[in-house]
Amino acid sequence: MSIEQHSATPSPPPFDGAAAASRYGNAFLLSDAPDHKLPASGMSPSDALRLLEEELVLDGIPMRNLATFVTTWMEPEAQQVIAENLHRNYIDHAEYPQTAVIEQRCIRMLADLYNAPGETIGTRTQGSSEAIMLGALSLKWKWRARREAAGKATDRPNLVFGGDVHVVWEKFCRYFDVEPRIIPLQSHKYTIGPEDVEPHVDENTIGVAAVLGTTFTGHADDIVGIDALLCRLREERGLEVPLHIDGASGGFVWPFLYPDSPWDFRLDSVRSINVSGHKFGLVYPGLGWLIFREPSDLPEDLVFYENYLGKRDMTFTLNFSTGSSMVLAQYYNFVRYGHDGYRYIMESMQANARALAAAILAIGEFELVGDEGAEQLPLVAFKLTGKDRAYDEFDVASQLAAERGWMLPAYTLPPNAEHVTIMRSLVKRSLGHSLATTLANDIGEACTTLAAKGGLHERDRRRVKTGTGY
Ligand SMILES: Cc1ncc(COP(=O)(O)O)c(C=O)c1O
């Protein structure tokens, strides 16, 4: 080869930006994410995936979300069940009869776990909120039927519950025209008992709601006491007032941690129970359950019978189409863990919660909320001790978020305990012993930093999570 030939290497083609973008780029890389308007043309699947992945790094990491009761980790096999059934519409009972059979198995297992006396009925819901709406509607319908049968007025129904309930109970009252009779908390009492309930109950009370594991501190209302009160009111004053248990979180905890503590259908007044499959049922969101004591607790005219795609179908639900995956995942958990497995998991969480509580106390700045030894969800609710310091719980939450990215909520309690600010860490399967120890150390570090530099600037405090978490 001659020298001339060697130097005549062809020069690279001129840079073609559009061609390079289609080969190396991502459609969104040089422009903002589509917003306001459906994009005129789309992008490749991998670009769309990258775009979403990139956006979502701005979200918190679910496992560092210590506020949420909702499941943040499931086994790979359970995830496989979920992924493989996303295209199965749960409501198509005619086409997916086995899914409907599996749903009924879950309902029977829960009814048995809750000591139902015999045959029962229930339904799968999107979460405890839908289950509560349906359960409370049943209370309203049954009350109205009783009143109509007695020839009495039906225009002023009321529902009695404590200030320690989740917002869904007030929501039900507003949406379905029922007077909420909310029992205020007290400065040193964050759950309710019979003495609080009694003054609010009358002939227009459709029911009383009691919580098993409150969103605020994880404790239970005095359900045994409230049941005894309602039995007495039935005997002495002929008042028929059913008890609904909001076991959104506690319904999967108490049967395993406190099996001898009655809160369920062992008590005469308890007519219905809701529980979130997606909380301590250990399933990803959204799944809830509503279980009645007996089939007659579900008013017949709340059930819709339809001829759907050639089959007579029965529904009792606020929604219609939804995925089957979470129902199937719940059944996966039931057969995979059984009673022993759930018990082991709940006991592990409780042990880690106790270890975390001890480590937080050892920091020397905090006290626990609630009596030692009280029945409680696997969580730690704590607050700063009374001594004077330049920072508060909101500052600790913010500092912790800044230093380590932990999402640990600080919030004030509902009236009349709004002067109390607490912090609360859920201890789920995604917070093992070693992470719990790290968390306690990080809380201690945050306090040390705050003690040296003082409370945070108002702008920093905006980072603080002030909701209770769900
Ligand atoms: C006691 C209680 N009831 C009801 C709910 C609402 O449950 P869901 O989020 O499953 O609708 C929650 C949620 O945190 C709760 O803690």
Side-chain angles (χ1 to χ4, degrees):
M1 189 191 301
S2 73
I3 290 171
E4 290 86 273
Q5 274 173 323
H6 199 63
S7 62
T9 317
S11 53
F15 182 69
D16 176 347
S22 76
R23 186 170 304 164
Y24 312 114
N26 296 99
F28 59 89
L29 215 50
L30 295 173
S31 55
D32 286 336
D35 195 354
H36 298 301
K37 231 171 121 161
L38 193 63
S41 44
M43 56 182 81
S44 71
S46 60
D47 279 5
L49 177 65
R50 283 276 327 271
L51 182 151
L52 277 159
E53 285 173 349
E54 204 164 282
E55 293 268 313
L56 290 176
V57 296
L58 296 173
D59 271 356
I61 299 170
M63 287 182 182
R64 271 196 248 171
N65 181 355
L66 305 172
T68 185
F69 291 82
V70 164
T71 302
T72 45
W73 183 83
M74 287 187 79
E75 293 183 328
E77 290 81 357
Q79 301 200 36
Q80 187 179 339
V81 170
I82 291 169
E84 285 174 0
N85 291 286
L86 288 167
H87 55 339
R88 207 180 289 278
N89 187 356
Y90 152 82
I91 207 73
D92 284 349
H93 293 161
E95 290 71 18
Y96 309 126
Q98 202 54 28
T99 296
V101 166
I102 288 172
E103 179 219 17
Q104 291 302 314
R105 287 183 193 159
C106 291
I107 290 169
R108 284 192 290 274
M109 287 182 189
L110 285 171
D112 177 65
L113 194 63
Y114 299 161
N115 297 291
E119 196 201 334
T120 69
I121 194 163
T123 186
R124 165 251 165 247
T125 61
Q126 199 60 28
S128 276
S129 298
E130 188 191 359
I132 286 168
M133 296 275 174
L134 294 171
L137 273 174
S138 304
L139 296 178
K140 186 178 175 187
W141 253 244
K142 296 292 279 185
W143 167 82
R144 198 168 51 200
R146 281 194 302 275
R147 299 282 292 174
E148 280 168 357
K152 295 193 173 152
T154 58
D155 56 338
R156 300 184 57 203
N158 70 67
L159 181 63
V160 177
F161 49 85
D164 56 342
V165 298
H166 184 267
V167 66
V168 61
W169 285 98
E170 264 191 84
K171 206 187 233 187
F172 163 79
C173 289
R174 199 178 303 168
Y175 287 2
F176 294 102
D177 223 5
V178 170
E179 179 202 342
R181 292 201 173 161
I182 308 173
I183 301 160
L185 304 186
Q186 298 168 38
S187 47
H188 293 292
K189 188 168 173 235
Y190 312 140
T191 53
I192 59 162
E195 62 289 357
D196 309 305
V197 170
E198 185 160 10
H200 298 275
V201 174
D202 61 22
E203 59 176 11
N204 286 316
T205 302
I206 66 170
V208 174
V211 191
L212 186 76
T214 74
T215 321
F216 301 98
T217 68
H219 296 105
D221 288 336
D222 177 359
I223 296 174
V224 170
I226 296 171
D227 170 66
L229 164 73
L230 298 180
C231 292
R232 178 165 65 74
L233 291 181
R234 193 175 312 132
E235 259 171 45
E236 290 177 2
R237 290 168 50 193
L239 287 180
E240 190 65 42
V241 182
L243 183 55
H244 175 99
I245 304 301
D246 180 351
S249 293
F252 272 110
V253 172
W254 260 254
F256 304 106
L257 289 187
Y258 313 109
D260 299 326
S261 178
W263 59 273
D264 52 15
F265 298 124
R266 282 169 286 184
L267 305 177
D268 283 345
S269 309
V270 177
R271 308 302 313 184
S272 46
I273 297 171
N274 68 273
V275 63
S276 298
H278 56 216
K279 294 193 171 99
F280 291 96
L282 309 176
V283 176
Y284 287 145
L287 181 71
W289 300 98
L290 172 63
I291 311 291
F292 291 99
R293 182 189 195 89
E294 293 169 9
S296 63
D297 287 302
L298 169 59
E300 181 60 23
D301 53 354
L302 281 181
V303 179
F304 277 75
Y305 294 94
E306 316 152 71
N307 190 343
Y308 188 64
L309 300 178
K311 277 222 167 161
R312 188 163 187 262
D313 203 10
M314 167 189 152
T315 57
F316 176 48
T317 166
L318 296 180
N319 303 299
F320 200 67
S321 295
T322 189
S324 300
S325 289
M326 299 311 161
V327 174
L328 301 174
Q330 182 78 84
Y331 188 67
Y332 168 89
N333 278 353
F334 284 174
V335 298
R336 152 85 176 107
Y337 298 130
H339 198 282
D340 268 7
Y342 268 97
R343 178 177 165 181
Y344 174 78
I345 292 166
M346 298 301 147
E347 286 181 353
S348 309
M349 292 180 192
Q350 186 183 48
N352 285 339
R354 287 184 175 155
L356 177 62
I360 289 174
L361 282 181
I363 296 169
E365 301 290 341
F366 297 98
E367 59 191 74
L368 300 182
V369 174
D371 296 336
E372 210 191 317
E375 295 176 358
Q376 194 183 19
L377 298 172
L379 55 78
V380 185
F382 57 106
K383 60 190 181 64
L384 287 163
T385 56
K387 96 174 185 214
D388 254 7
R389 45 174 83 70
Y391 60 92
D392 64 11
E393 287 85 352
F394 296 103
D395 295 327
V396 176
S398 173
Q399 190 62 35
L400 203 55
E403 287 183 12
R404 275 287 213 181
W406 291 115
M407 291 170 266
L408 180 71
Y411 48 86
T412 53
L413 290 179
N416 295 331
E418 59 272 70
H419 54 283
V420 182
T421 304
I422 66 176
M423 306 188 75
R424 189 206 61 205
S425 173
L426 262 296
V427 181
K428 296 183 300 191
R429 267 205 298 183
S430 43
L431 194 80
H433 196 274
S434 153
L435 264 192
T437 307
T438 306
L439 170 65
N441 290 339
D442 290 345
I443 295 171
E445 286 288 320
C447 292
T448 308
T449 310
L450 288 166
K453 76 172 185 181
L456 294 178
H457 189 275
E458 223 20 69
R459 290 174 67 139
D460 292 321
R461 285 168 68 106
R462 285 198 213 125
R463 253 200 318 260
V464 179
K465 171 151 181 37
T466 52
T468 48
Y470 306 106

